[in-house]
Amino acid sequence: MSDIASMVLSVAMTIGPVIGYVDQYFIIRKQKSSAGFNPVTCAILLFSNILRVFFWLGKRFDTTLLIQSIVMILAQLVLLEIVVRYRPMTKNEYPQSRWQQFWAWDYYLDYVNFLLGFTTVIAVLFQILDNAWFIETLGVVSLGIESTLPLPQCVSNFKRRSTEGFSAVVMATWFLGDGFKLFYFLYTQAPLQFDICGAVQLTIDSLIVMQSILFSPSVRKWMGVSPTVDRCMYETIP
């Protein structure tokens, strides 16, 4: 029975986090616009999971977490393509940060080339600095980046005073999934970096759930706040 339970947990850990992004993909395709979805989300997941793969190669913890990273990388590459394809043409009139300019290329191939270069650099460093200190650093950086996953969307929602265009399924999978992940990390005695990451993510997820309630049309109407959304700020990225 324990083997069956472990298998179910492993499948849930691998497939669960991706479900919300499938829904986000179809929302963008249907609306033919990626407004409302913060593309930095893709960046965070791609960088953190690439680093996590190398972390696993150096430490060899639960194999399910390796498979989860590979599945997430593939899912984000697919999602990033449609986000770039349907990026709204409206430009923000305010000065952009270096991060915005960095992750705002015009062509999908530019993103792929950069990710290939990033992976190559990490692979070379992995071969040169193959020691416990470097491996643990990979884990800290990987999970540190991943722990900020909901933050850009949270800030974007706050600045727009709206969660319109952001998949409710993604929000649900973030909140419920991160709660489940934290339990899974504790249950499988994953490295400490995973526990800290899960706790931070769950906290930010809770803020996004509160935003979805406070910024909903019914609550805004009850509070006497105009439902108008300042759409020119949809692409503001912290």
Side-chain angles (χ1 to χ4, degrees):
M1 182 64 181
S2 60
D3 291 339
I4 296 177
S6 297
M7 183 180 298
V8 172
L9 284 175
S10 295
V11 172
M13 275 296 294
T14 302
I15 304 299
V18 177
I19 294 177
Y21 298 108
V22 174
D23 181 64
Q24 184 68 62
Y25 177 92
F26 285 108
I27 287 177
I28 294 174
R29 192 173 76 169
K30 179 180 179 181
Q31 297 180 347
K32 297 189 183 306
S33 171
S34 58
F37 178 75
N38 198 314
V40 176
T41 298
C42 295
I44 291 174
L45 285 169
L46 286 166
F47 291 135
S48 63
N49 281 282
I50 288 172
L51 290 174
R52 191 199 288 185
V53 169
F54 287 100
F55 182 37
W56 185 92
L57 290 174
K59 196 158 186 174
R60 298 302 173 100
F61 43 86
D62 188 6
T63 305
T64 299
L65 297 177
L66 171 65
I67 299 173
Q68 180 199 58
S69 290
I70 294 173
V71 171
M72 183 59 75
I73 289 171
L74 295 175
Q76 291 306 311
L77 286 173
V78 173
L79 179 59
L80 180 61
E81 189 279 327
I82 200 169
V83 168
V84 174
R85 189 199 320 169
Y86 290 124
R87 175 186 295 153
M89 299 302 295
T90 304
K91 295 297 182 181
N92 197 329
E93 61 180 295
Y94 303 102
Q96 292 185 318
S97 66
R98 290 183 179 180
W99 176 251
Q100 286 177 290
Q101 295 172 356
F102 160 70
W103 197 252
W105 299 302
D106 293 327
Y107 302 103
Y108 177 66
L109 188 58
D110 294 331
Y111 295 87
V112 174
N113 287 336
F114 181 86
L115 290 169
L116 288 174
F118 174 78
T119 304
T120 301
V121 170
I122 298 301
V124 171
L125 291 176
F126 184 83
Q127 292 297 324
I128 298 175
L129 306 174
D130 187 11
N131 55 61
W133 176 85
F134 178 71
I135 298 302
E136 292 299 329
T137 300
L138 280 179
V140 171
V141 175
S142 170
L143 277 301
I145 293 174
E146 186 175 346
S147 67
T148 66
L149 171 60
L151 187 58
Q153 189 66 51
C154 182
V155 174
S156 181
N157 292 343
F158 177 77
K159 290 184 176 181
R160 296 170 59 244
R161 299 295 193 276
S162 172
T163 57
E164 182 182 355
F166 178 59
S167 170
V169 177
V170 170
M171 180 180 65
T173 54
W174 278 1
F175 182 73
L176 299 176
D178 288 339
F180 174 77
K181 283 197 302 183
L182 183 57
F183 161 76
Y184 184 86
F185 296 153
L186 295 172
Y187 175 76
T188 60
Q189 298 182 337
L192 180 62
Q193 293 97 322
F194 286 90
D195 299 338
I196 297 174
C197 170
V200 172
Q201 282 185 301
L202 189 58
T203 300
I204 303 176
D205 292 339
S206 300
L207 292 176
I208 294 178
V209 171
M210 291 177 61
Q211 288 178 330
S212 70
I213 297 173
L214 294 175
F215 297 153
S216 64
S218 57
V219 172
R220 291 172 70 92
K221 181 178 180 180
W222 177 72
M223 295 177 66
V225 179
S226 172
T228 303
V229 178
D230 186 4
R231 297 184 183 279
C232 72
M233 299 187 69
Y234 75 87
E235 59 182 350
T236 300
I237 303 172

